[in-house]
Amino acid sequence: MKHLLSIGDLSAAEITELLDEADRFAETLRGREMKKLPTLRGRTIFTLFYENSTRTRSSFETAGKWMSADVINISASSSSVKKGESLKDTAQTLKAVGADAIIMRHPSSGAAQQVARWVDDIAVINAGDGSHQHPTQALLDAVTMRQKLGDISGKHVAIVGDILHSRVARSNAQLLTTLGAHVTFVAPPTLLPFGVESWGVEVSQDFDSVIKSADVVMMLRVQAERMRGGFFPSHREYATRYGLSRARRESMRDDAIVMHPGPMLRGMEINDDVADAPNTVVLQQVTAGVHVRMAVLFSLLVGTGQDLEGAK
């Protein structure tokens, strides 16, 4: 694996290898007072974000620093991008500076793939491109599911909300179906992508029916910043039909878990009581995100199966 651009580029074996590697990092770091490994000492990693981010950016930065890499953040709002520099020139500049890896988020679908073609000899990691892909989010979600539920194969995962604009939904659908899970998208017709029937998932508008058999209910953020026009009548109606209320939570199986990629829109997508309930694993997802991103950086820059404690 040279880059990580899309879940679709990974086989089931490669996905499992990354999940196992994330678990190895979690185990290696457990109980350590100083969370620092020499694994990527001497490597230089740039994060290049053209969109705002809290969880993804901070966890990639933490992952790199915990492995002793030099991590440098480049924000489009404070870089030469504001002067009109092209994406190509920015990427090639970072390569010339000495980047070993570029972690990038961009509002245009396919941007990460294009950068990988321009700087093919360094690792490019897609941290979200438009409504297309967010592979490390799907990987951290899978790690969390394995920790809470065991084997993913055969599990029923309901992904609920703004499917149309969600790179999280696309990446998770690919990963989960590859690992043998049954996935149901729950959304109003206006928030479903064209051709979704070919994605290997079921589609429903009846949240109350689907939720009763789900092992995982993954709520999605309504991405108002990507919407032009009325995709649903009102926030109140959306919450009534597609929000995770206390009553809906009580209809779930006792061992089912609730997930959300964040940030959560409390009161619309998810009730406050549900967001803070013990079976809601949002913070566990954040923790898993650091270990997954360590695994991805390690796999791209060193190789899987190597000594996690040794520098290379």
Side-chain angles (χ1 to χ4, degrees):
M1 186 172 70
K2 194 170 189 178
H3 310 291
L4 180 59
L5 306 175
S6 168
I7 288 296
D9 297 335
L10 302 176
S11 67
E14 289 171 325
I15 291 169
T16 301
E17 190 172 48
L18 284 170
L19 304 185
D20 291 343
E21 204 74 83
D23 287 342
R24 278 214 300 156
F25 273 108
E27 184 59 34
T28 299
L29 293 169
R30 187 171 288 116
R32 281 180 177 246
E33 185 176 343
M34 297 292 291
K35 291 181 170 59
K36 200 80 166 178
L37 304 173
T39 319
L40 296 183
R41 182 180 293 150
R43 306 298 181 101
T44 302
I45 297 166
F46 284 88
T47 65
L48 177 61
F49 278 57
Y50 288 75
E51 290 183 322
N52 294 332
S53 170
T54 299
R55 292 156 192 78
T56 302
R57 187 169 192 161
S58 62
S59 64
F60 263 119
E61 183 175 357
T62 301
K65 289 183 174 180
W66 280 3
M67 291 190 289
S68 302
D70 295 309
V71 183
I72 302 165
N73 295 318
I74 305 293
S75 174
S77 62
S78 59
S79 71
S80 290
V81 171
K82 292 292 285 185
K83 301 176 183 178
E85 184 172 63
S86 70
L87 178 60
K88 181 176 183 179
D89 287 339
T90 298
Q92 291 183 333
T93 296
L94 298 183
K95 175 183 174 180
V97 165
D100 293 295
I102 296 174
I103 301 158
M104 66 169 296
R105 171 169 288 188
H106 199 279
S108 297
S109 298
Q113 286 85 343
Q114 186 60 65
V115 167
R117 286 192 285 269
W118 289 326
V119 293
D120 187 53
D121 49 344
I122 64 176
V124 176
I125 300 170
N126 184 2
D129 61 330
S131 300
H132 179 228
Q133 280 282 323
H134 194 352
T136 58
Q137 179 68 45
L139 289 165
L140 74 88
D141 289 339
V143 166
T144 307
M145 289 182 207
R146 291 206 316 182
Q147 290 170 349
K148 303 300 289 187
L149 303 173
D151 191 5
I152 291 172
S153 180
K155 296 295 188 293
H156 180 199
V157 181
I159 302 179
V160 185
D162 184 3
I163 307 291
L164 178 64
H165 301 104
S166 178
R167 51 199 175 209
V168 174
R170 285 166 170 77
S171 296
N172 264 294
Q174 286 184 325
L175 184 150
L176 292 168
T177 53
T178 297
L179 294 186
H182 170 56
V183 178
T184 303
F185 283 166
V186 182
T190 52
L191 289 177
L192 287 168
F194 178 77
V196 69
E197 297 81 6
S198 66
W199 291 17
V201 303
E202 287 194 17
V203 176
S204 175
Q205 281 82 55
D206 188 352
F207 192 10
D208 292 310
S209 174
V210 172
I211 199 171
K212 294 174 184 176
S213 64
D215 297 289
V216 179
V217 177
M218 183 183 296
M219 306 302 295
L220 299 175
R221 183 175 68 86
V222 174
Q223 300 188 39
E225 74 277 10
R226 302 186 194 276
M227 296 182 183
R228 300 291 182 271
F231 285 82
F232 47 86
S234 69
H235 285 195
R236 177 174 290 184
E237 180 168 326
Y238 182 91
T240 298
R241 295 197 61 190
Y242 298 102
L244 186 51
S245 63
R246 183 189 297 183
R248 285 198 171 106
R249 167 61 194 103
E250 289 173 352
S251 73
M252 291 172 60
R253 294 169 42 173
D254 290 341
D255 57 350
I257 60 173
V258 175
M259 305 180 76
H260 197 301
M264 294 184 286
L265 299 183
R266 291 172 180 247
M268 181 181 172
E269 300 160 356
I270 189 167
N271 177 274
D272 267 317
D273 291 342
V274 179
D276 298 325
N279 71 311
T280 298
V281 296
V282 172
L283 294 181
Q284 289 94 318
Q285 289 173 263
V286 174
T287 301
V290 178
H291 302 141
V292 159
R293 284 153 182 150
M294 292 177 80
V296 168
L297 287 167
F298 181 71
S299 298
L300 290 174
L301 298 179
V302 178
T304 57
Q306 304 294 323
D307 179 12
L308 302 186
E309 306 253 10
K312 197 160 186 180

